[in-house]
Amino acid sequence: MNAQDDTSKQITSVDVAKLAGVSRSAVSRTFTPGASVAQETREKVLKAADALGYRVNQLARSLTNKRSDLVGIVAANMDNPFRTEQIEQISRKLMEQNFRPILMPAESADDPSRIIGMLLEYSVSGVIVTSDTPPEAICQECVSLGVPVVLVNKRKIGATVDRVLMDNLKCGQLAAQALYEKGCRNVAIISANVPSYSLQVRGDAFKRSCLEMGLQPVTGFAADFQDYNGGAHAAAQLLASGRPFDGLFCVTDFMALGALDHLRLSGAPPVPERMQVIGCDDIRQAAWQGYNLTTIRQDTAHLAEAVIEALLNRFSKPNAPATTKTLDVSLIERGTTR
Amino acid sequence: MNAQDDTSKQITSVDVAKLAGVSRSAVSRTFTPGASVAQETREKVLKAADALGYRVNQLARSLTNKRSDLVGIVAANMDNPFRTEQIEQISRKLMEQNFRPILMPAESADDPSRIIGMLLEYSVSGVIVTSDTPPEAICQECVSLGVPVVLVNKRKIGATVDRVLMDNLKCGQLAAQALYEKGCRNVAIISANVPSYSLQVRGDAFKRSCLEMGLQPVTGFAADFQDYNGGAHAAAQLLASGRPFDGLFCVTDFMALGALDHLRLSGAPPVPERMQVIGCDDIRQAAWQGYNLTTIRQDTAHLAEAVIEALLNRFSKPNAPATTKTLDVSLIERGTTR
DNA sequence: CTGTTAGCGCTTTCAG
DNA sequence: CTGAAAGCGCTAACAG
């Protein structure tokens, strides 16, 4: 009907071959890194391709290759800046390696198996999970289909599912030690009522370290949601309980910011003079001058690198035993501690 | 070599057909919504598929369909919470409609044409751009390939490129009016030194509205980066300039938060008593009790809906003239104004 | 309603 | 180094 319609036909390797006066194979080889084509042929092909505006159809290519270069990212809690930072870094690194990230936001309510199943329909080359720990069954399915799964900050499952973790144990320990060394003798912890492996480990490590140092931490105050408001509410309850404390560890920065604001605005003892606060993650907001939060830092860029590395390793050794890469963390002292 | 290897063969519709004792077509039809299959056949197929763990290969499917259900999202400034909110909402809505979002983070340094080109290789069904306005040429290529492009908060280009915008003009107007009505007579604006269409429009509208009301706005203070620190620096320069002001409009909340923190911590006149501040976007942080920022709100959920709608409309009417959907905004009064 | 028959666009042996 | 031919997994006419 429209003149536009004529143009809208896709240009295929046949068209290019025809124009260049060569076979489709020659075209294919020209666009396959490391294939053997005569320089002269390649040039003819390239010229024709350029003239026609040809683009390789990656979908068709992956049909034969069995690998699509699509990589799924299953992500939860995208309201948490730490997560979006991870996602951005991972997607970038993926693109650099010529993969294409397909992003699947997932709430806890969503069934991870279903989400991963959708990904499988697209023959993804790999799946990166930063949401809740998925059921072992679906991971096994991925693995037996030759699709590597990389878990970020999740508990161990299966025998060939790689993980990359920040050192959550150390997070808790560093926080406890720092608070102790800075003079706190009545420490409290705000955790979250969510089934999160890393938050669990952080919290447990903190409590254990406290006990080891002879401190009896104030526990039992957990946010219903792992976010700013969750932190604020938990802080309110902690204050309302009347239990005295001069040091506070929040298992995530996101919650710590809420707690901090609540402390400041509710007439609680001033931070850091009579109350010290430490968070965990080092999200960008922690460094904002309005917060200046002391925290435990783990570099999302390193994390992203480790994830990609795990993925690539798994491609080359599909049956190697599961690996766990633990990334170091460090205390970043800012203004909420003395 | 390994027992696992035997399992790793992909299950195809042929396998299912064989087990179910039907033809491949029957299998295909069973998994094609709205195809005609006898109930009995369908059940046999479903049972066999389930037993085998069959999944449709969407890549193969799209090879015939010419539509992949993959939708590209080109996104910049992922450090800005407003952007990640947009991205999350859009991806979710896309998934609900059975599309799969492929996320391409892009800095201003990246060439949008290259990024979109990559997307085209994957036969995406559409492209959503929330980064810088892409060159018209590549958009034309998309359009002539039948791939709709939807621009979010970008200036107009081409004849069949749809856009969805928040009412940037009104943003600036509302801010100016609110400040005026709340008694400010010396207003200032902090904008950004970046080539952003929407920021430009907001700023211009603000200035014009001020002039119309007889106010001479303090201008010329722009952040080099469209972020928290950018806002803080600009505020510092504004204060250092010695030019008096009692009302401040920041073209994004992200910058507003930085400015606000700077004002508070630098001993500037107290907010909101002697200085009122308004931002724009209504990012989540604006509602945090520590900021409680008055701002201009635009619902990212609505925005996402409008984007999907534009996409779907374009599918049904490929050659319809370009549409522009402008979403209404409203003033959210919080604690930084009186 | 069902099976058969052609492809979708690309890669990849396999001869030459 | 190059072309011909087969096939990746699926869908879409087309007869039956």
Side-chain angles (χ1 to χ4, degrees):
Chain A
M1 204 67 56
N2 188 311
Q4 206 98 320
D5 286 352
D6 301 311
T7 329
S8 79
K9 210 205 58 169
Q10 224 200 99
I11 283 111
T12 76
S13 63
V14 175
D15 302 313
V16 178
K18 212 169 287 175
L19 213 197
V22 297
S23 72
R24 295 165 62 195
S25 318
V27 179
S28 172
R29 285 193 263 260
T30 306
F31 289 100
T32 303
S36 57
V37 206
Q39 184 59 23
E40 196 191 353
T41 319
R42 143 172 268 111
E43 273 162 19
K44 274 192 295 186
V45 170
L46 251 20
K47 199 178 145 202
D50 193 53
L52 261 33
Y54 170 72
R55 290 182 198 281
V56 186
N57 182 332
Q58 300 290 351
L59 263 29
R61 169 178 275 183
S62 38
L63 201 54
T64 21
N65 283 352
K66 316 287 279 178
R67 274 261 180 76
S68 69
D69 289 351
L70 253 22
V71 171
I73 304 180
V74 185
N77 300 110
M78 282 188 61
D79 57 329
N80 187 339
F82 186 64
R83 293 309 185 85
T84 49
E85 231 180 281
Q86 284 182 343
I87 294 168
E88 183 187 5
Q89 297 280 2
I90 293 175
S91 334
R92 268 188 201 294
K93 295 269 187 324
L94 243 22
M95 281 177 61
E96 281 168 18
Q97 301 285 332
N98 259 292
F99 291 108
R100 306 287 168 253
I102 128 166
L103 175 66
M104 308 288 271
E107 307 266 298
S108 301
D110 295 320
D111 176 12
S113 302
R114 205 180 58 92
I115 307 263
I116 298 180
M118 293 172 165
L119 253 13
L120 253 18
E121 295 188 348
Y122 282 86
S123 312
V124 288
S125 297
V127 176
I128 297 167
V129 180
T130 78
S131 65
D132 293 342
T133 310
E136 178 154 6
I138 187 74
C139 291
Q140 274 319 321
E141 186 174 349
C142 289
V143 168
S144 70
L145 280 157
V147 177
V149 178
V150 179
L151 265 28
V152 179
N153 276 326
K154 300 286 153 268
R155 68 178 163 68
K156 188 180 174 72
I157 54 170
T160 26
V161 178
D162 301 302
R163 300 187 301 158
V164 4
L165 312 168
M166 59 192 286
D167 194 339
N168 288 298
L169 206 75
K170 190 171 171 187
C171 287
Q173 293 169 342
L174 279 180
Q177 279 169 23
L179 252 17
Y180 184 87
E181 283 166 13
K182 288 165 189 308
C184 301
R185 289 300 176 268
N186 292 296
V187 299
I189 175 174
I190 288 182
S191 49
N193 271 332
V194 293
S196 160
Y197 168 78
S198 49
L199 268 38
Q200 189 70 43
V201 174
R202 289 176 197 179
D204 290 348
F206 178 81
K207 292 174 199 165
R208 202 174 324 114
S209 293
C210 286
L211 293 172
E212 283 169 11
M213 295 185 299
L215 264 36
Q216 192 69 41
V218 177
T219 63
F221 295 90
D224 287 327
F225 297 100
Q226 196 194 135
D227 62 8
Y228 177 93
N229 288 322
H233 290 150
Q237 295 188 313
L238 179 54
L239 285 175
S241 76
R243 302 186 58 177
F245 63 102
D246 56 3
L248 174 63
F249 174 52
C250 294
V251 294
T252 69
D253 279 358
F254 198 20
M255 296 193 295
L257 299 181
L260 201 52
D261 274 340
H262 184 83
L263 292 176
R264 286 173 174 164
L265 298 170
S266 66
V271 177
E273 292 75 15
R274 297 193 26 229
M275 168 83 71
Q276 302 187 63
V277 180
I278 297 187
C280 193
D281 284 342
D282 196 26
I283 59 177
R284 293 192 185 95
Q285 285 80 350
W288 287 4
Q289 53 185 317
Y291 290 107
N292 204 15
L293 175 71
T294 294
T295 188
I296 316 288
R297 169 174 181 70
Q298 195 269 309
D299 193 340
T300 48
H302 286 164
L303 186 138
E305 272 161 31
V307 168
I308 308 297
E309 199 186 313
L311 213 53
L312 296 177
N313 283 341
R314 182 59 57 194
F315 289 149
S316 48
K317 297 179 191 161
N319 295 314
T323 64
T324 296
K325 170 95 175 185
T326 304
L327 298 168
D328 196 25
V329 295
S330 58
L331 179 73
I332 305 291
E333 301 197 41
R334 297 206 182 91
T336 57
T337 50
R338 290 195 298 271
Chain B
M1 203 67 54
N2 187 312
Q4 207 100 319
D5 287 352
D6 301 310
T7 330
S8 78
K9 210 205 58 168
Q10 223 201 101
I11 284 106
T12 77
S13 63
V14 175
D15 302 314
V16 179
K18 211 169 287 174
L19 214 197
V22 296
S23 74
R24 295 164 62 194
S25 317
V27 179
S28 172
R29 286 192 264 259
T30 307
F31 290 98
T32 303
S36 58
V37 206
Q39 184 59 23
E40 195 190 355
T41 320
R42 144 171 268 111
E43 273 161 20
K44 276 193 295 187
V45 170
L46 251 20
K47 199 177 143 203
D50 192 53
L52 260 33
Y54 169 73
R55 290 181 197 284
V56 188
N57 183 331
Q58 300 289 352
L59 263 30
R61 170 178 276 182
S62 38
L63 201 54
T64 22
N65 284 351
K66 313 290 279 179
R67 272 264 179 76
S68 70
D69 289 350
L70 255 20
V71 171
I73 304 180
V74 186
N77 299 109
M78 282 187 62
D79 58 327
N80 186 340
F82 187 65
R83 294 310 186 85
T84 50
E85 232 180 280
Q86 284 182 344
I87 293 168
E88 183 187 4
Q89 299 279 3
I90 294 175
S91 330
R92 269 188 200 295
K93 294 269 187 321
L94 243 21
M95 282 177 60
E96 281 168 18
Q97 301 285 333
N98 260 294
F99 291 108
R100 306 285 167 255
I102 128 165
L103 176 66
M104 308 288 271
E107 307 266 298
S108 301
D110 296 319
D111 176 13
S113 302
R114 206 180 57 94
I115 308 263
I116 297 180
M118 293 174 166
L119 253 14
L120 253 17
E121 295 190 348
Y122 282 85
S123 312
V124 287
S125 298
V127 176
I128 297 167
V129 179
T130 79
S131 64
D132 291 342
T133 310
E136 178 153 7
I138 188 77
C139 291
Q140 274 318 321
E141 186 172 350
C142 290
V143 168
S144 72
L145 279 157
V147 177
V149 177
V150 179
L151 265 27
V152 179
N153 275 327
K154 301 286 152 268
R155 68 179 163 70
K156 187 180 175 73
I157 54 172
T160 26
V161 178
D162 301 302
R163 301 187 300 157
V164 3
L165 311 168
M166 58 192 287
D167 194 338
N168 289 298
L169 206 74
K170 189 169 171 188
C171 287
Q173 292 169 340
L174 279 180
Q177 277 168 24
L179 252 17
Y180 184 87
E181 283 165 14
K182 288 166 190 306
C184 300
R185 289 299 175 269
N186 292 297
V187 299
I189 175 174
I190 289 181
S191 50
N193 270 332
V194 294
S196 160
Y197 168 77
S198 49
L199 268 39
Q200 188 71 44
V201 175
R202 289 177 198 179
D204 289 349
F206 178 81
K207 292 174 201 165
R208 203 173 325 113
S209 293
C210 286
L211 293 172
E212 282 168 13
M213 296 184 298
L215 301 182
Q216 192 68 41
V218 177
T219 63
F221 295 89
D224 286 327
F225 297 99
Q226 194 193 136
D227 62 9
Y228 178 92
N229 288 321
H233 290 150
Q237 295 188 316
L238 179 54
L239 286 175
S241 76
R243 303 186 58 176
F245 63 103
D246 56 4
L248 174 64
F249 174 52
C250 293
V251 293
T252 70
D253 280 357
F254 199 18
M255 296 193 296
L257 299 182
L260 201 52
D261 274 340
H262 184 83
L263 291 177
R264 285 173 174 164
L265 298 170
S266 66
V271 177
E273 292 76 14
R274 299 195 22 233
M275 166 84 71
Q276 303 188 61
V277 179
I278 296 186
C280 192
D281 283 342
D282 196 26
I283 59 177
R284 292 193 186 94
Q285 284 81 350
W288 288 4
Q289 53 185 316
Y291 290 107
N292 204 16
L293 176 71
T294 294
T295 188
I296 316 288
R297 170 173 180 72
Q298 194 270 310
D299 195 338
T300 47
H302 286 165
L303 186 138
E305 272 160 31
V307 168
I308 308 296
E309 201 186 313
L311 213 53
L312 296 176
N313 283 342
R314 182 59 57 192
F315 288 149
S316 48
K317 297 178 192 158
N319 295 316
T323 65
T324 295
K325 169 96 176 184
T326 304
L327 299 167
D328 195 24
V329 295
S330 57
L331 179 72
I332 305 290
E333 301 197 42
R334 297 208 183 90
T336 56
T337 50
R338 291 196 297 271

